[in-house]
Amino acid sequence: MAKRKEDAPPAGAPAWMATFSDLMNLLLCFFVMLFAMSSIEEAKLQDFVAAMNNTFSVFDGGAAAIGDGFLISNGVSQLNELDQYINSTGKTADSETEGEDFNEFEKSPEAMEEILEEQNLQKNEELAEGMEEALQDSQIADEVEVSFTAQYIQLTMNGALCFDNASAQLRDEAKLVLDKVGVLLERYGTGIIEIEGHTDNVPISNALYASNEELSSARAMTVFYYLRDTTSLNTTNLKHSGMGERCPIADNSTPEGRSRNRRVEIRIYSPSLN
């Protein structure tokens, strides 16, 4: 009996490879279609990359790739630097933020001095307003002028009210005013209080005073002694000085100007400046 002839294997590639090829073609077409449907604007992409880089500091020093930063070499050197690179991620932005916050509160000595001066000026302005109201209530606002700076509050009394011509003896009217001024000093004068005497530029020479310097000093001392004896002020905080004609506030060529220059000034310094 003759042997049965075996069937020959089919020619060509296996059937599964045809199916696989069709699948790959479909996937390729699918991604090509997705790419064709999308549009990438390079400018927006660059802005996004820059924003992410500045915010999270993925690449140190503004580098555009890992090779530009810590990981310069290849192989083992990259592995050695990997821990340092990972730990530094995000620190640049944090450091910049902390630096900005620190700089916001860090002030130069000049800036701090300006801030303190502004605060003292505002405080003295409020105190000066309170003193003016008190002077009005005491009915001596016309006899005492109030002014202020960042360092002190000043009460100015006209010399004609306080003293007779070429004299350092207090007039009775001046004593009544000084009694009320003393109450204000007890209330507001917690720091140094300085009494200054001033004259005009008319020369003086008599048996008591050889110059305007001596006359102004004597007048300042007279007010000092009166406040010492009639108030509870701490005398260690009281100072007095004579300025003579050296600090005019008006023109000495007119009678009105000379009258203004003959004055007594009482300065109440801020406690923080003592």
Side-chain angles (χ1 to χ4, degrees):
M1 183 177 180
K3 292 184 179 181
R4 182 180 178 182
K5 186 178 181 180
E6 297 180 355
D7 296 333
W16 66 269
M17 291 189 64
T19 304
F20 182 79
S21 298
D22 292 338
L23 178 61
M24 292 300 101
N25 289 331
L26 290 175
L27 288 176
L28 177 61
C29 293
F30 177 74
F31 285 112
V32 170
M33 180 183 66
L34 291 179
F35 181 80
M37 294 175 60
S38 63
S39 60
I40 300 176
E41 296 184 14
E42 185 177 359
K44 291 184 178 180
L45 179 61
Q46 294 294 335
D47 293 341
F48 173 78
V49 172
M52 294 297 292
N53 185 30
N54 293 334
T55 303
F56 299 103
S57 297
V58 175
F59 304 116
D60 192 24
I66 293 179
D68 295 338
F70 287 108
L71 306 183
I72 300 175
S73 304
N74 296 321
V76 177
S77 62
Q78 288 186 338
L79 295 177
N80 292 335
E81 297 291 326
L82 181 60
D83 182 66
Q84 182 181 2
Y85 173 75
I86 294 175
N87 291 334
S88 67
T89 302
K91 286 185 177 180
T92 303
D94 294 340
S95 300
E96 292 177 355
T97 304
E98 292 175 359
E100 292 176 358
D101 294 340
F102 181 76
N103 291 333
E104 183 179 353
F105 294 100
E106 182 186 18
K107 301 294 184 181
S108 64
E110 294 79 7
M112 290 299 299
E113 183 178 356
E114 184 177 351
I115 292 175
L116 291 176
E117 184 173 357
E118 183 65 26
Q119 292 176 348
N120 286 333
L121 184 64
Q122 183 177 0
K123 180 181 179 181
N124 285 347
E125 181 179 7
E126 295 174 356
L127 292 177
E129 292 176 355
M131 287 187 180
E132 287 181 341
E133 294 179 359
L135 292 173
Q136 291 177 356
D137 295 339
S138 302
Q139 298 179 350
I140 59 171
D142 294 337
E143 285 77 18
V144 182
E145 179 183 349
V146 181
S147 58
F148 65 91
T149 67
Q151 288 74 37
Y152 57 79
I153 301 172
Q154 180 172 291
L155 306 178
T156 303
M157 302 174 59
N158 189 277
L161 169 69
C162 299
F163 308 99
D164 291 328
N165 188 29
S167 172
Q169 184 176 357
L170 277 175
R171 302 178 62 188
D172 292 337
E173 295 86 345
K175 294 179 180 180
L176 295 176
V177 174
L178 279 176
D179 288 338
K180 298 178 180 180
V181 170
V183 175
L184 283 180
L185 295 178
E186 290 175 335
R187 182 187 307 173
Y188 296 100
T190 56
I192 297 297
I193 298 175
E194 185 174 12
I195 304 165
E196 285 188 356
H198 299 265
T199 67
D200 56 26
N201 66 344
V202 178
I204 181 175
S205 180
N206 55 30
L208 295 177
Y209 311 108
S211 66
N212 284 324
E213 293 288 335
E214 293 186 11
L215 177 60
S216 63
S217 297
R219 288 177 171 178
M221 290 181 62
T222 299
V223 175
F224 165 79
Y225 288 136
Y226 188 84
L227 293 175
R228 180 198 65 180
D229 297 337
T230 59
T231 67
S232 60
L233 293 171
N234 185 356
T235 55
T236 59
N237 291 337
L238 290 178
K239 298 182 179 181
H240 57 82
S241 61
M243 304 302 294
E245 61 190 64
R246 288 175 287 149
C247 302
I249 58 174
D251 188 1
N252 274 311
S253 62
T254 64
E256 294 79 8
R258 291 193 294 270
S259 177
R260 289 193 60 196
N261 290 331
R262 296 189 296 268
R263 68 197 188 277
V264 174
E265 296 176 347
I266 302 177
R267 293 178 179 174
I268 307 168
Y269 285 87
S270 302
S272 60
L273 302 176
N274 296 333

